[in-house]
Amino acid sequence: MQGDLQRIVDAVAAHAGRPALIEDRRQRVVVYSEQTGLMDEVRRASILRRQTTPEVIAWLREFGIADAHAPVRTPARPDLDLLPRLCVPVRHHDLLLGFVWFIDPDGTMTDVDLAATGLLKELSLALYRENLLGELAAQRETEAARTLLADSPETREQAVRALLEAGMIAGDGPTTVLVARLVAAEARQPDERARIALEQSLVAARRRAGVREALHLLRHDHGVLLLPAEPAAGRPTPEVAARHLDDDLRQVTRALAAVERTVVGVGRTRPRLVDAVDSYVEALHAARVGARLPALGRVVSWSGLGVYRALARLGEHDLDVADVHPGLARLLGGTGNQALLTTLERYLDLAGNAHATAAELRLHRTTLYYRLQRIEELAGTDLKDGGERLCLHLALKLARLTGRHRAEE
């Protein structure tokens, strides 16, 4: 199939008298002719990465290429290093299958009549066949990946067997799961461009690990990457893969106003693919905690969450701050208590060391003791009681996790 497409794109380029590049309907590079003459950074990056950035996709789609039935001219975008182009949509019985792209820097290229040569029909049939086969394979893989994250061990075993028999994965061994989340900017929701960016980053991470070594899945509010954890030549460790995924996510989302930041959660390694669901749950919790608490960083591992491991699990059962310590709930509900909450958290983080707390907060010791006394009065607690300190500390961390407490970092 790839040989047919290469022959067609070479014939298209010869007919047009300039290099051509073919993308599928999601604007992922399928095949391209020999690239001679003037080339911009967008074309160069597309060939190297086999994909176009969400920002470029959004710009080009503003000119109606997804709805077009005839060639469309798109203007330059100097800030993106994007030259003018001629886009020829490829359809099969009105179904959009992809695009043929020509760089047209001086705007002198006449509309290419590929239909008259029969090349457009040949291309549409070739893309239709590839699209059909690709979609069927992708659906099988996606369904198997979903099943791997299900609860039933029997269904997970069946999914692993299906993946191995179909040759979609090379083997069943130690597996680590990463979860990538896009944290929405205030009053916004990640849009389709953000979803495209997330999938592109997952695909890039999968290529680095080996396409038949890893699996990825896009869920409604996060992306999942199942990685082999055994050392192998040229394969990044899960920790390195997480950092690379984070780098990719930041790069492809930096121009997206709907995305404030990104976070990657890392679960612990499990001995077999069938047990990856446990790593997934950990990675999901780590990513959710990281989304709530930026101070933890952009890559957050389950093993490094400390007390938040327990609180993340408790949060599954809708545990409220008042269930842990009613007095803290009253303190959180009062107005003007931010300084008291910050003081209490630092005091508890430092194991009740008044000298260290005063030094870190740059408070006079008398001011610190006054604040601690006010906390005891308002929360109805005794900070000399170890049990009370434990409950207060847990309740404060739970309040952070649920967004009720946003004291200064």
Side-chain angles (χ1 to χ4, degrees):
M1 183 65 68
Q2 195 68 19
D4 284 345
L5 285 169
Q6 187 63 58
R7 175 183 57 78
I8 294 169
V9 76
D10 289 340
V12 166
H15 174 72
R18 64 182 63 202
L21 178 142
I22 297 174
E23 293 179 332
D24 65 15
R25 68 174 182 272
R26 296 180 183 175
Q27 291 191 248
R28 296 175 299 195
V29 176
V30 177
V31 68
Y32 50 89
S33 69
E34 182 182 3
Q35 300 295 302
T36 57
L38 190 61
M39 185 189 302
D40 57 21
E41 184 56 34
V42 171
R43 171 65 60 87
R44 187 175 294 106
S46 295
I47 290 173
L48 289 174
R49 300 172 188 161
R50 292 282 177 176
Q51 60 189 20
T52 306
T53 66
E55 189 176 12
V56 172
I57 291 174
W59 165 255
L60 295 172
R61 295 207 171 200
E62 286 183 12
F63 301 95
I65 62 172
D67 301 315
H69 289 71
V72 177
R73 293 189 180 279
T74 61
R77 268 285 298 269
D79 59 315
L80 296 177
D81 197 3
L82 178 72
L83 291 169
R85 278 162 164 70
L86 181 70
C87 172
V88 180
V90 182
R91 294 180 176 273
H92 180 75
H93 296 308
D94 207 40
L95 174 67
L96 179 66
L97 296 172
F99 310 94
V100 183
W101 290 97
F102 302 97
I103 293 178
D104 187 22
D106 50 12
T108 58
M109 187 178 183
T110 58
D111 291 349
V112 180
D113 188 4
L114 298 179
T117 65
L119 288 171
L120 191 59
K121 183 177 181 179
E122 192 176 358
L123 177 57
S124 69
L125 288 171
L127 281 179
Y128 180 74
R129 288 194 298 270
E130 181 166 279
N131 180 72
L132 183 61
L133 293 173
E135 288 292 338
L136 289 173
Q139 287 174 12
R140 288 197 299 270
E141 183 184 287
T142 298
E143 186 57 37
R146 284 199 189 99
T147 304
L148 280 173
L149 303 182
D151 292 331
S152 167
E154 292 78 12
T155 56
R156 297 201 302 270
E157 289 280 7
Q158 291 172 5
V160 172
R161 284 197 297 271
L163 287 166
L164 288 168
E165 290 169 2
M168 294 179 186
I169 57 171
D172 177 15
T175 304
T176 304
V177 178
L178 310 183
V179 167
R181 285 178 63 94
L182 306 181
V183 182
E186 188 174 354
R188 291 177 179 267
Q189 287 296 325
D191 53 16
E192 185 61 22
R193 285 182 294 170
R195 190 174 177 82
I196 291 171
L198 178 55
E199 185 167 21
Q200 286 184 344
S201 298
L202 291 171
V203 170
R206 187 172 172 179
R207 285 201 190 102
R208 283 190 290 267
V211 174
R212 293 182 60 246
E213 303 290 337
L215 292 168
H216 80 279
L217 180 65
L218 203 60
R219 311 211 88 161
H220 76 282
D221 65 346
H222 62 274
V224 185
L225 188 66
L226 294 88
L227 291 171
E230 286 185 329
R235 179 196 298 161
T237 64
E239 294 75 17
V240 171
R243 292 197 295 272
H244 286 167
L245 178 57
D246 171 60
D247 290 340
D248 287 342
L249 284 169
R250 283 190 296 144
Q251 181 176 350
V252 298
T253 61
R254 62 187 176 187
L256 301 181
V259 178
E260 179 180 295
R261 59 190 179 85
T262 63
V263 61
V264 176
V266 184
R268 290 178 297 177
T269 299
R270 294 304 191 275
R272 294 182 57 212
L273 190 56
V274 72
D275 303 315
V277 62
D278 298 322
S279 182
Y280 165 66
V281 171
E282 293 173 350
L284 184 61
H285 281 309
R288 286 175 175 169
V289 172
R292 287 281 190 182
L293 306 177
L296 294 178
R298 295 189 306 271
V299 176
V300 182
S301 67
W302 171 258
S303 58
L305 279 181
V307 69
Y308 289 114
R309 286 195 297 272
L311 294 177
R313 297 285 196 187
L314 291 174
E316 293 177 340
H317 306 290
D318 299 321
L319 184 69
D320 188 72
V321 171
D323 297 327
V324 182
H325 198 290
L328 184 69
R330 292 194 299 272
L331 194 60
L332 285 164
T335 58
N337 291 337
Q338 189 64 49
L340 296 179
L341 289 165
T342 299
T343 300
L344 176 60
E345 185 168 19
R346 288 290 185 267
Y347 178 72
L348 295 173
D349 284 346
L350 294 169
N353 187 323
H355 177 75
T357 304
E360 186 170 323
L361 296 178
R362 298 181 180 179
L363 294 175
H364 191 278
R365 190 79 66 88
T366 302
T367 302
L368 172 64
Y369 287 135
Y370 170 74
R371 287 187 181 182
L372 295 177
Q373 182 181 349
R374 284 292 295 153
I375 289 166
E376 289 182 324
E377 293 171 355
L378 292 172
T381 189
D382 180 1
L383 292 175
K384 293 184 292 294
D385 185 318
E388 282 291 291
R389 290 198 303 273
L390 175 61
C391 289
L392 282 167
H393 209 180
L394 284 173
L396 268 170
K397 297 306 181 185
L398 181 61
R400 270 193 178 277
L401 194 58
T402 57
R404 290 193 61 188
H405 172 38
R406 298 186 181 278
E408 295 179 3
E409 299 293 346

